[in-house]
Each structure stands twice: as structure tokens, then as C-alpha cells.
Amino acid sequence: DTEVTQTPKHLVMGMTNKKSLKCEQHMGHRAMYWYKQKAKKPPELMFVYSYEKLSINESVPSRFSPECPNSSLLNLHLHALQPEDSALYLCASSPSDSPLAEQYFGPGTRLTVT
Amino acid sequence: QKEVEQNSGPLSVPEGAIASLNCTYSDRGSQSFFWYRQYSGKSPELIMFIYSNGDKEDGRFTAQLNKASQYVSLLIRDSQPSDSATYLCAVNFYTGRRALTFGSGTRLQVQP
């Protein structure tokens, strides 16, 4: 089963709110990813965790704060977002961070910042 | 700057025809290549991955890789209206950061 779950499915938040996105996988994958996708654009990589350690941060603003509490869970904490941060936020996982490893995406969280 | 290029389309094919989607990439040292299908409003779904030159077949889908020419393609045989979606090509550039770089996607329309 190649399932990655994400909650919530939809989130509306004001610019002063603090919220968190959650991602979970039970496939024993050791690499997990956060992507941001705007309409009609490809996914853009934000963060990569490999064996629960942050290995890539694509110069993402500090109002996005990732966390990997254990090998199955990935969180993205949001604070003081801007309307232009409205997008589909995708979590993905792969068996390892090997360049040959395939990535599986979760269903995404549709975020609207008002 | 490592790049992945796709024609944005739309590529329109009649039902039952073969749809051919193409992708070129800039880094000759790339090792792994992935095709994702994305329906409007949904997340990308992995369809195929290929590492070696040649063809790889899975049901109605065939991925083709030519490393010398730096292109990868996806053939969809017996296209169905349900295949209408955006197809994203993704490459893991082995040199530098180990993460997928996506093309902008090709929108496929299968006409009944």
C-alpha cells in the first residue's frame, strides 16, 4: 500500500493565525518531503527530511517551519502567512533519499490565506 | 540551472489512439526519471519510473528513455477519456541536491 495521508484537506486561515499541516505514512519510508503547488504550475520543493533530519531547505521563508517528530510523521507549522502563500501543499515520501527512489504524494492540503 | 522541459499542450488525441508525451532534461548525469499524472484539483500520482535506456512497459503505459539524447517519453496506448489529465515529468538530477525537478507538465485531452 503506497498511501500518504494529509490533514486537513482544506484550511482557511488569517494572516495572524498559527496552524499546522500534518502528514503521515506507514510504509517505512525514510525520506519525507513538503512541496507547494500553485495553480497550473508544477510542485515546488520546500523541505526534505532524510532519516528524520532536515536535509534540504529550499530557502523557504521562516513563516513555514517543518518538523519531523518520528519516521512516520511530518508537520508543517504555519505562522503569519501572506495571501500569496495560498496554494496546495503536498507531502510526499520515498523509501530513501536515494536518487533512484520513487516519491509518493499525499492528497494535499488546500490552503487559503485571507 | 538544471531544467526539465515539456510542451504544455494541450495534446488532443481521439479515444483509442496512442498519446505520446515528451520530456527533455538538461543534466546528462541524471539517473532516474518519473512520470506523474495529475487530475485537476488532485495530487500527482506516480505512473512510471525508468532508470535504464530503452523501454519499460506497464499495462497501457510505456516509458522510453534515451540518455544520449537526454529525453524521456511516455506512451499511452488505447487512450481513454479518463486519461485526460496533466502529465508531469520529473527528473532526479544526480549531481547536486538529490530531489525531484519537475517539468511544467503536458495537458492531455482524450476526445470521446
Side-chain angles (χ1 to χ4, degrees):
Chain A
D1 185 18
T2 53
E3 188 178 26
V4 178
T5 60
Q6 290 186 245
T7 55
K9 286 190 172 57
H10 301 276
L11 178 62
V12 179
M13 60 185 290
M15 289 189 284
T16 58
N17 291 159
K18 284 186 183 181
K19 297 285 185 184
S20 296
L21 310 184
K22 181 179 173 182
C23 173
E24 194 165 5
Q25 57 87 16
H26 293 288
M27 297 176 280
H29 287 179
R30 302 313 303 268
M32 297 184 76
Y33 310 78
W34 281 114
Y35 289 85
K36 172 183 176 181
Q37 188 176 27
K38 303 281 272 185
K40 299 192 187 304
K41 297 288 187 184
E44 294 175 32
L45 183 68
M46 299 175 73
F47 303 103
V48 180
Y49 273 83
S50 177
Y51 294 83
E52 299 159 53
K53 287 186 172 24
L54 183 66
S55 61
I56 295 177
N57 177 338
E58 290 288 280
S59 302
V60 178
S62 60
R63 57 186 184 268
F64 296 92
S65 174
E67 179 196 19
C68 188
N70 59 56
S71 61
S72 302
L73 279 176
L74 188 65
N75 297 320
L76 186 63
H77 303 297
L78 313 172
H79 172 55
L81 295 192
Q82 304 297 309
E84 59 265 28
D85 296 321
S86 298
L88 180 67
Y89 287 84
L90 296 162
C91 174
S93 72
S94 64
S96 74
D97 67 351
S98 161
L100 301 182
E102 67 277 18
Q103 292 184 26
Y104 299 94
F105 284 87
T109 293
R110 177 78 57 188
L111 174 67
T112 303
V113 181
T114 60
Chain B
Q1 180 80 357
K2 296 181 173 57
E3 294 181 342
V4 179
E5 300 282 345
Q6 292 182 259
N7 189 319
S8 61
L11 172 65
S12 186
V13 301
E15 184 175 354
I18 296 175
S20 177
L21 304 156
N22 300 313
C23 170
T24 59
Y25 58 94
S26 61
D27 185 359
R28 188 176 289 274
S30 301
Q31 298 287 310
S32 53
F33 309 85
F34 304 85
W35 283 100
Y36 288 85
R37 176 175 64 195
Q38 187 170 26
Y39 294 112
S40 181
K42 301 294 187 183
S43 65
E45 174 192 6
L46 181 65
I47 299 175
M48 297 280 291
F49 53 89
I50 187 166
Y51 308 136
S52 306
N53 274 333
D55 295 1
K56 179 182 178 183
E57 188 174 315
D58 183 1
R60 295 187 297 114
F61 299 99
T62 299
Q64 298 176 318
L65 175 61
N66 184 322
K67 288 188 178 181
S69 300
Q70 295 174 233
Y71 83 77
V72 57
S73 61
L74 179 70
L75 301 179
I76 307 175
R77 287 183 300 282
D78 189 24
S79 295
Q80 301 297 309
S82 57
D83 294 326
S84 298
T86 295
Y87 289 80
L88 297 163
C89 172
V91 178
N92 201 316
F93 294 118
Y94 192 73
T95 54
R97 66 178 180 84
R98 293 184 178 186
L100 289 180
T101 298
F102 285 86
S104 56
T106 297
R107 190 156 64 92
L108 173 66
Q109 294 177 340
V110 181
Q111 307 293 337

